[in-house]
Amino acid sequence: MKVIFAGTPEFAATALKDLHEAGFEIPLVLTQPDRPAGRGMQMHASAVKQYAQQHGIEVLQPLSLRMDSKDPQRAAEAKAAHERLLATDYDVMVVAAYGLILPRSTLDIKPCINIHGSLLPRWRGAAPIHRAIEAGDDETGVTIMQMEEGLDTGPMLAIERTPIEAGDSTASLHDKLARLGGKMIVETLRKMQQQPLEAVPQPEAGVTYAAKIAKEEAALDFSLPALELGLKIRAFNPFPGACGQVDGITIKIWAADVLEADSKEAPGQVLAADAQHGIVVACGNGSLRLTELQKPGGKRLPAAEFIKGFPLEGKRFV
């Protein structure tokens, strides 16, 4: 079976690696164009492109796949990409966190299969891992589905569940689901080589949408319940990183424990900031013990180390 792979971040690179190591022939990889990143804003290749180049796989990076784009450059690149796909001998396209919409013209060439990091139809869309944690879901998983023009609406070929542990952040859950997705796509394609797979329509009930994460969501509102804030902190680690302001300085909050005890102090008030109690902050209901923080230009530090260089006693997060 010859597989064209379309994907961009680490989640996708894990699946590409598993397919490649499983022996599938991969004549072409599609990934997003290089982007500026880091403090120096140097051009940075995607994780998928890096893996493909390391293993001698041809890479195509069109700005768009929509030949009807009103942008002449995007339309031209989409036309060239379409012609390249038509000229390539392949059996299936596997898509994982690609970041570009696949138009009907692409979907009609050969079957397209998507690796999606949720239990569809829950959390269709761009940020299923973040939103599952933020919502307090007990479990999530990976769905392998046939692609159609709707947003993650295609029939399902395989689905596997995994619990969301109390200590999971988006970073840790991402890695679990990436490994699961890689395993599942290899199994799915091997089964397809033996016989056609039954595609099961998604249930009509239980549809939710995982909107893309906006940087503005990072600012914590300490008038909210501690439980809700604790979920946001886990969901926004590593991006965009939950934060609060102290004396006009933005402090990143990477990890926290939820405490049930209420306080009469105003939300955001630091109730304790010492080696014995840690950093405890009042919330609208309950409180948070902040366990990992970062000041601008600094490193991520455990609370005990953070307060040595940034005293918080008597301060308030806003």
Side-chain angles (χ1 to χ4, degrees):
M1 181 174 281
K2 297 178 181 179
V3 180
I4 285 182
F5 188 87
T8 299
E10 286 289 346
F11 183 89
T14 299
L16 174 59
K17 176 177 181 291
D18 287 349
L19 287 169
H20 183 249
E21 292 183 349
F24 289 96
E25 184 177 344
I26 304 172
L28 181 66
V29 158
L30 302 179
T31 191
Q32 289 256 10
D34 295 0
R35 307 288 190 197
R39 292 183 179 179
M41 297 302 285
Q42 298 293 319
M43 296 302 289
H44 183 75
S46 73
V48 163
K49 179 179 179 179
Q50 292 178 45
Y51 183 88
Q53 289 184 324
Q54 290 166 6
H55 295 86
I57 304 171
E58 182 183 351
V59 177
L60 199 62
Q61 296 177 272
L63 288 167
S64 172
L65 292 174
R66 301 192 69 91
M67 293 184 287
D68 59 354
S69 173
K70 294 181 180 179
D71 182 319
Q73 182 180 356
R74 290 175 180 269
E77 290 196 18
K79 185 174 185 297
H82 183 72
E83 292 174 351
R84 182 69 182 85
L85 292 175
L86 291 173
T88 302
D89 179 19
Y90 72 103
D91 301 295
V92 64
M93 178 183 288
V94 171
V95 182
Y98 180 27
L100 292 184
I101 295 173
L102 268 60
R104 171 55 59 187
S105 58
T106 301
L107 296 173
D108 282 346
I109 300 174
K110 291 288 175 68
C112 296
I113 297 176
N114 182 248
I115 308 169
H116 188 76
S118 82
L119 301 173
L120 291 172
R122 186 163 177 79
W123 301 129
R124 294 173 177 171
I129 302 175
H130 298 77
R131 298 306 183 189
I133 292 179
E134 184 184 19
D137 290 1
D138 294 326
E139 66 175 0
T140 185
V142 170
T143 305
I144 308 294
M145 68 170 178
Q146 290 182 352
M147 295 187 70
E148 55 185 32
E149 286 188 285
L151 178 63
D152 299 327
T153 57
M156 303 178 293
L157 298 171
I159 189 166
E160 289 194 26
R161 300 172 180 271
T162 190
I164 299 178
E165 305 291 347
D168 270 329
S169 64
T170 289
S172 63
L173 188 57
H174 166 280
D175 292 349
K176 294 178 188 178
L177 295 182
R179 291 191 294 270
L180 180 59
K183 175 186 78 74
M184 289 174 64
I185 193 60
V186 169
E187 293 173 350
T188 299
L189 293 189
R190 283 177 172 165
K191 289 177 182 177
M192 288 176 63
Q193 288 177 297
Q194 303 301 318
Q195 62 184 18
L197 296 182
E198 180 185 5
V200 179
Q202 293 183 31
E204 294 183 4
V207 174
T208 59
Y209 291 93
K212 185 178 180 179
I213 303 296
K215 290 184 178 180
E216 294 75 21
E217 295 182 67
L220 297 179
D221 178 358
F222 284 90
S223 67
L224 295 174
L227 180 59
E228 185 174 339
L229 292 173
L231 292 171
K232 288 181 181 292
I233 290 167
R234 290 165 52 200
F236 298 159
N237 179 356
F239 177 84
C243 63
Q245 284 202 340
V246 176
D247 294 339
I249 299 173
T250 299
I251 305 297
K252 291 280 189 181
I253 302 169
W254 294 110
D257 298 326
V258 176
L259 306 178
E260 294 183 0
D262 284 325
S263 168
K264 296 180 181 179
E265 299 291 342
Q269 183 65 45
V270 176
L271 304 176
D274 54 52
Q276 179 181 356
H277 302 95
I279 301 172
V280 181
V281 181
C283 302
N285 183 280
S287 55
L288 286 176
R289 178 180 286 115
L290 311 184
T291 58
E292 187 178 12
L293 305 92
Q294 182 181 16
K295 65 182 179 181
K299 298 179 180 179
R300 294 168 61 154
L301 295 173
E305 292 298 315
F306 183 83
I307 56 178
K308 290 180 180 179
F310 199 104
L312 287 172
E313 189 173 355
K315 302 290 187 178
R316 185 183 175 195
F317 281 87
V318 296

